[in-house]
Amino acid sequence: MAEGEKKELLLESGGEEKKSLTAEEAKAVAKDIGKETLAFGKDMSQEIGKTWESMRAESFVSNLNAEADTPAKKCLRFTMVYLVKPLIIVVMIYVFIMRMLYKVYQVLPMNLLRMIFGVGLCFFGGTYFMSIAAFEAFRNFGGQMLLDELAVCWDQAMLVKKANEIDDKIDADQDGTADVQQMSYNDLINHKAKMAMVAVQQPDRLMKATQYLFTAWVSVIAVLKAQFAQTVAIALGIADMLELPACQIFAPIVAVMMGKDLQHWVAPSIGITIKVIAVVSASYIQAIISAFYSGLRGGRMFGSAFVHGVLPYVGPYLPASCIDQPFDPDKSYIDEMIGFPLAAAGFYYQFTSGFVLDFPENLIMLPCTIVEWVLRWNVFT
C-alpha cells in the first residue's frame, strides 16, 4: 500500500498518530480503570437502592394524598419518580462506559484501533449510516474544538452533580429528614435551579459552549439534509406519482372505514401514508448503499492496519512461501486479500439481518441507535 493511502486511512480513522504508551503506563491505566469500575459499581448499587426506596415512599405518599392532588401534579410526580430518576441512572452508566472506552482508546495502539473501527464499519456501517455521516461532518466542522466545548459542559455538569449530592443531605432544621424531601414541588424546582446556578463557576464559558454546540448541530443537520436530499426527493417524487393511483384503489375502502363524517380526510391520509412509506423505503435504500460503501472502506482500513501493525511483528516467523522476506507493507497485496472478503462478509451480514441489531448488540448500542434515529428524524422530516 502506498504512503498516500496510508495517510488517507489515518485521516479517516480520526486524525494524527498517537504516542505509544509504555507497558508500565498501560498497566497503570488498566489498574485505574479497575478501581474506577469497582467504585462506580458501589455507587450505582447505592443509587439504585435509594431510587427504589424513594419510589416505594412516593407510592405510599401518593396513596395518602390521592384526593388532594390534581392530575397535573400526579403526572409530574409519576414522571419525576418513575421515569426521570431511572433514566438518569441509565445515562450515568452509559456515560461511565464511554469514559472507560476513551481511556482504553488512549492506551491501545493506533493500528489496533483502526482494525476495530474497520470491523465496526464493515458490520454496522449501514445500520448507523446517518451517525457516521454526522461524525464526519462534525469532524470537518472542527472536531477538536467540539470536544473542547463538550468538556466544558461536562465539567460544569459535574460541579452541579456534586452540589446536588451535598444539597440532598442537608438537614438545616435537624429533624432527621432532609430539607429537600419536605419541600413542595414548586419550592423544590426553584431551590434546585438556584443551587445549579450557584454551582456553575463559568456561566459565560458555559453559554459560549452551548451556543457553539447548537451552531454545530444546526450546521451538521444542514449538511446531512443536503447529502441525503437526493434520496428523499426521489422517494417523495415517486410518492407523488403513486398518490393518485393509490387514492383510486384504496379510497373507497378507506372511506367506508372512516365513515361519512371523515371522508374529507381520506385523500390526505392516503397521501401521507404513501409519503411515509416512501421515506422509510428511501432510508432502507440509503442503508444498503451506505453498507456497501462502509464495508469497502472498513475492510480497507482493517487490512491496512493489519499489514502495518501486525505482520511486521509476525512476518519474520512465517515461512517464505507465505510472505516475502524481508516484508514490506507498502508493496504487499495482503491488505486487499484481507479487506475485500471482510467487506463482503460485513455487507452480507447487514443485508441478511435487515440492518437490525440482535441481542445483546442492540442493548450495548442503544445510545448510538437513539442518536441515529434522532438524526434521521431531523434529516428526513
Side-chain angles (χ1 to χ4, degrees):
M1 173 172 288
E3 185 68 21
E5 293 182 348
K6 179 182 176 183
K7 292 181 179 179
E8 183 182 350
L9 286 177
L10 176 60
L11 293 175
E12 288 179 352
S13 59
E16 300 178 353
E17 284 282 2
K18 298 190 306 177
K19 181 180 179 182
S20 300
L21 297 179
T22 62
E24 291 75 12
E25 292 174 336
K27 290 180 180 179
V29 173
K31 189 175 181 180
D32 291 339
I33 292 176
K35 290 182 178 179
E36 289 191 32
T37 302
L38 291 176
F40 180 78
K42 293 180 180 178
D43 293 340
M44 279 296 99
S45 62
Q46 295 177 359
E47 287 290 336
I48 293 174
K50 291 179 182 178
T51 302
W52 175 251
E53 291 297 329
S54 65
M55 291 169 66
R56 292 180 57 191
E58 185 61 32
S59 177
F60 177 75
V61 173
S62 62
N63 290 332
L64 294 178
N65 301 327
E67 298 180 357
D69 287 346
T70 62
K73 288 184 178 180
K74 291 180 180 179
C75 180
L76 179 62
R77 182 182 294 112
F78 179 86
T79 302
M80 294 297 293
V81 175
Y82 296 100
L83 296 180
V84 174
K85 288 185 177 180
L87 182 61
I88 290 175
I89 293 177
V90 173
V91 171
M92 290 174 63
I93 293 174
Y94 277 112
V95 168
F96 175 80
I97 293 175
M98 287 187 287
R99 286 178 54 232
M100 295 302 103
L101 289 177
Y102 181 72
K103 288 192 174 184
V104 174
Y105 161 79
Q106 292 178 316
V107 175
L108 293 180
M110 197 63 194
N111 282 316
L112 181 57
L113 289 174
R114 291 194 200 113
M115 292 171 64
I116 296 173
F117 190 66
V119 172
L121 281 177
C122 286
F123 289 89
F124 304 105
T127 306
Y128 298 103
F129 68 89
M130 193 69 72
S131 300
I132 295 174
F135 172 77
E136 294 181 351
F138 270 119
R139 190 189 61 181
N140 295 329
F141 190 76
Q144 186 58 45
M145 186 179 297
L146 181 67
L147 292 178
D148 294 340
E149 302 301 333
L150 285 172
V152 171
C153 296
W154 176 261
D155 293 339
Q156 299 302 313
M158 289 298 99
L159 293 176
V160 175
K161 178 179 179 293
K162 292 180 180 179
N164 182 66
E165 293 175 352
I166 297 174
D167 182 69
D168 288 341
K169 299 177 182 179
I170 294 177
D171 184 15
D173 52 9
Q174 297 181 355
D175 61 350
T177 304
D179 295 340
V180 293
Q181 297 181 5
Q182 299 175 344
M183 296 180 183
S184 63
Y185 278 98
N186 292 332
D187 294 338
L188 181 61
I189 292 174
N190 295 331
H191 174 75
K192 290 297 183 180
K194 182 178 179 180
M195 179 270 301
M197 294 175 67
V198 173
V200 174
Q201 297 179 353
Q202 296 178 312
D204 53 342
R205 187 70 181 86
L206 180 62
M207 291 297 296
K208 290 181 180 179
T210 306
Q211 292 173 3
Y212 179 82
L213 293 176
F214 179 75
T215 303
W217 171 261
V218 173
S219 302
V220 168
I221 293 299
V223 171
L224 294 179
K225 281 182 177 290
Q227 181 175 349
F228 297 105
Q230 184 177 4
T231 304
V232 179
I234 293 175
L236 295 180
I238 295 174
D240 290 336
M241 291 187 293
L242 294 178
E243 184 174 353
L244 180 59
C247 288
Q248 293 175 342
I249 296 173
F250 297 107
I253 302 174
V254 177
V256 173
M257 296 174 60
M258 299 183 70
K260 294 182 179 180
D261 297 335
L262 299 176
Q263 286 187 358
H264 57 288
W265 280 96
V266 172
S269 300
I270 295 176
I272 292 174
T273 303
I274 293 296
K275 289 182 179 179
V276 170
I277 295 174
V279 171
V280 173
S281 302
S283 179
Y284 184 78
I285 294 172
Q286 185 61 50
I288 296 176
I289 298 173
S290 299
F292 183 80
Y293 166 72
S294 62
L296 292 175
R297 182 179 175 186
R300 179 177 171 221
M301 186 180 298
F302 179 90
S304 175
F306 181 83
V307 166
H308 286 85
V310 178
L311 283 186
Y313 298 97
V314 302
Y317 301 98
L318 297 177
S321 59
C322 297
I323 189 171
D324 294 335
Q325 300 293 347
F327 177 70
D328 187 0
D330 295 329
K331 296 181 180 179
S332 172
Y333 292 97
I334 297 179
D335 51 345
E336 285 84 0
M337 295 171 60
I338 295 175
F340 287 122
L342 182 64
F347 178 78
Y348 176 79
Y349 169 79
Q350 293 183 81
F351 186 76
T352 54
S353 63
F355 305 99
V356 178
L357 301 180
D358 298 326
F359 182 84
E361 290 90 351
N362 54 0
L363 183 61
I364 298 174
M365 302 294 292
L366 179 61
C368 297
T369 304
I370 295 175
V371 172
E372 174 71 18
W373 282 105
V374 169
L375 288 170
R376 292 189 188 186
W377 177 262
N378 282 272
V379 172
F380 289 150
T381 58

